[in-house]
Amino acid sequence: DDQDCIIRAVNMTWTGSEGGQMVYSVNNTASSGASSTASFFNIKAVRQEDGLEYTVTISASRFNGENGASIPLLGLSSQTLAPDALFGAGFSIPYELNKNLVVGTYSSLSSNGLLNTKLAFTDGSVFANFDVAVEFKILAATA
């Protein structure tokens, strides 16, 4: 359900001694949309039970410890981080965007199921480069 998605979101946090503005980009997947708090990306995952490929929508947000508000990962923030400020990114698999998936165990495809994410300063120097993959189970619903 939606609440489980929020509870099980994966957050990555950092501090940067330099401060400044940060820019996130995704190198291998175009955004499939956005809300006021998240960017959405479609990646491919295989379902263990049948070996078939499925599309999974990931929600990606960015935040900082100075105001705590989440904005879309690809959104531009006008806020300049103070040196040693806490900031980060959060990733989840929202039920409402993936309710067409059937019961089973899913994992990212290594070829086109990774979200290659880069975090850089506004001058282009890279702060972090990482891949986001999924591995999750959809359990049978009970009445």
Side-chain angles (χ1 to χ4, degrees):
D1 64 26
D2 189 36
Q3 188 60 34
D4 279 348
C5 173
I6 295 168
I7 292 168
R8 296 176 187 195
V10 174
N11 290 321
M12 302 171 68
T13 58
W14 303 277
T15 57
S17 59
E18 298 177 34
Q21 289 185 316
M22 297 296 206
V23 177
Y24 290 81
S25 61
V26 174
N27 300 321
N28 61 337
T29 306
S31 174
S32 62
S35 69
S36 61
T37 59
S39 298
F40 303 112
F41 300 92
N42 293 330
I43 65 167
K44 297 296 182 183
V46 66
R47 184 171 167 260
Q48 180 179 342
E49 289 76 5
D50 58 17
L52 296 177
E53 203 174 280
Y54 293 83
T55 298
V56 176
T57 302
I58 295 177
S59 170
S61 300
R62 61 187 287 186
F63 57 87
N64 66 62
E66 293 175 9
N67 71 11
S70 291
I71 64 170
L73 185 75
L74 300 182
L76 297 175
S77 174
S78 60
Q79 184 169 11
T80 300
L81 298 172
D84 298 320
L86 179 70
F87 60 96
F91 302 90
S92 64
I93 304 168
Y95 171 76
E96 66 274 5
L97 299 177
N98 293 285
K99 56 186 165 189
N100 62 326
L101 297 174
V102 297
V103 171
T105 302
Y106 296 81
S107 58
S108 293
L109 292 173
S110 59
S111 58
N112 61 352
L114 302 177
L115 197 63
N116 181 254
T117 309
K118 182 172 78 171
L119 172 56
F121 293 100
T122 53
D123 68 2
S125 59
V126 176
F127 180 83
N129 200 353
F130 55 93
D131 289 325
V132 176
V134 298
E135 188 170 322
F136 62 97
K137 288 184 181 183
I138 297 177
L139 304 174
T142 58

